[in-house]
Amino acid sequence: MVSLGRNAYQPRGATSAGGDLLVWNQGVEHGYSVAIATRSRGGDWVFPRVDDLVAAPVLFSNAPMPALNAAGYAVVAWFQSLGDVLRISMSERESPSDAFRKARESDVLSPPHTLAMHPCPTIHGSGSAAVGWIQETRDHQWVLMLATRTSDGAWRLPEDLSEAMAHNLPATGKPIAIFTPNGALHLIWTEGDDQLRRVWWRRRTPDGRWQDTLPLSPVDGFAIEPSAVAAERGLVTAWRERLNGVFVIRARALDQDGAAWHGAATLSAGLDGEAGPPALAVGGPDSTAVVAWRQGDTRVGAVHSATLERAVGPTLDD
């Protein structure tokens, strides 16, 4: 057994040349906390003790998400109530030889007073980092928020909701923050209502300039649950989109310099039933991307996959 007893849930993993992480929520005597197991490259797993848990054991911790770079710098972010609304907290370590620190008051990333959920951390090889999440406004709308860290370790946190990166997100939307190898930071999220919903993208260039927000899915469509992966030469994203009353998998790729998105490909065309949420991986000298998803009923459906060779090549046509 990896966990500290049986009251453990929501495991997530991260891997890189810097090693491996496994994180989960762990029930303890007076509440719930976040547990982190670590392994250096080629070493053995080190599993946590109760004293190593990083979140304050108050009420429930939720959805811990890890990020790890090749040098071993790592961030784990989660959302948790400390007696008031749910807020985004984090723990980090600078190197594989360091322990993850217990979350402090300064490690609460989200502005106070309103509900915050679904953190997504990302780390660049330089040590720059970011955490995106959604947060509720006082009029019960949802916005995309972002905290960032420079390569020298200085975090910048939003002071209030006026610093939102995007508006009109669904409460179930899980934003994506992801670095590409050239140092660009990308945000991907969904906006809309129960009838129309789109996937959107925004990019911060390696020199720190935010570019205009662009839609990735059609204006009159219903697109949800995006996923993304960074390739050596760009970025690949996939999502579920409702076409003719049925959800299909759509995918697009961004070229290396961020100048252009290639056309969307429908990956599940011709398959029976609806497509479930996509999962992505990429690798190899040609940045080949693999997209996998469940097709059909949750009880009897099959797992399908599609390979996008040279994922940032000249085009991805239907």
Side-chain angles (χ1 to χ4, degrees):
M1 182 183 296
V2 173
S3 60
L4 301 170
R6 299 184 181 277
N7 198 5
Y9 58 102
Q10 291 183 320
R12 287 279 185 168
T15 187
S16 77
D20 306 290
L21 297 179
L22 180 64
V23 305
W24 66 91
N25 293 304
Q26 178 69 58
V28 291
E29 183 178 359
H30 299 295
Y32 292 80
S33 188
V34 174
I36 306 173
T38 63
R39 182 172 64 175
S40 60
R41 184 57 60 204
D44 295 325
W45 280 101
V46 178
F47 298 108
R49 302 164 299 175
V50 171
D51 291 344
D52 300 323
L53 303 182
V54 297
V58 180
L59 303 177
F60 291 93
S61 51
N62 300 276
M65 299 292 289
L68 174 69
N69 72 4
Y73 168 59
V75 172
V76 177
W78 64 92
F79 62 100
Q80 182 179 18
S81 170
L82 299 178
D84 194 5
V85 297
L86 292 167
R87 299 185 68 186
I88 307 298
S89 294
M90 71 156 187
S91 175
E92 61 183 338
R93 74 170 192 196
E94 294 297 330
S95 73
S97 61
D98 297 323
F100 281 89
R101 69 166 181 258
K102 293 184 182 295
R104 309 163 301 185
E105 184 176 348
S106 60
D107 294 321
V108 178
L109 305 182
S110 55
H113 309 310
T114 64
L115 180 69
M117 300 191 300
H118 304 319
C120 180
T122 182
I123 302 174
H124 185 251
S126 66
S128 298
V131 180
W133 67 89
I134 66 169
Q135 189 156 350
E136 190 177 27
T137 66
R138 292 190 180 276
D139 58 355
H140 306 296
Q141 302 296 310
W142 291 88
V143 295
L144 170 59
M145 304 297 294
L146 183 72
T148 57
R149 174 188 135 131
T150 60
S151 59
D152 60 5
W155 280 92
R156 186 194 179 282
L157 311 184
E159 294 185 4
D160 55 45
L161 299 185
S162 67
E163 298 186 48
M165 303 297 295
H167 298 79
N168 195 30
L169 278 71
T172 56
K174 297 180 180 180
I176 298 168
I178 186 169
F179 279 102
T180 42
N182 66 356
L185 173 61
H186 304 260
L187 299 177
I188 297 174
W189 68 95
T190 54
E191 292 182 16
D193 54 29
D194 291 340
Q195 301 301 318
L196 298 174
R197 200 170 292 179
R198 304 183 79 180
V199 175
W200 292 81
W201 165 80
R202 196 176 185 189
R203 175 179 182 259
R204 189 185 72 182
T205 61
D207 60 3
R209 294 177 294 109
W210 282 104
Q211 296 181 315
D212 291 340
T213 300
L214 293 175
L216 299 182
S217 61
V219 64
D220 57 351
F222 191 83
I224 59 174
E225 297 171 338
S227 183
V229 64
E232 189 63 32
R233 297 181 296 155
L235 180 72
V236 179
T237 184
W239 62 88
R240 294 208 299 160
E241 186 173 325
R242 193 162 56 204
L243 294 179
N244 300 319
V246 177
F247 278 107
V248 300
I249 299 297
R250 302 273 282 173
R252 297 189 72 170
L254 180 70
D255 64 19
Q256 183 176 11
D257 60 9
W261 282 92
H262 303 297
T266 301
L267 305 184
S268 58
L271 299 177
D272 294 333
E274 291 199 333
L280 283 78
V282 68
D286 291 329
S287 292
T288 298
V290 177
V291 184
W293 67 94
R294 186 202 75 249
Q295 188 75 29
D297 188 275
T298 56
R299 297 166 298 176
V300 297
V303 173
H304 289 257
S305 66
T307 300
L308 305 177
E309 296 181 2
R310 295 181 299 279
V312 290
T315 186
L316 285 175
D317 293 326
D318 287 347

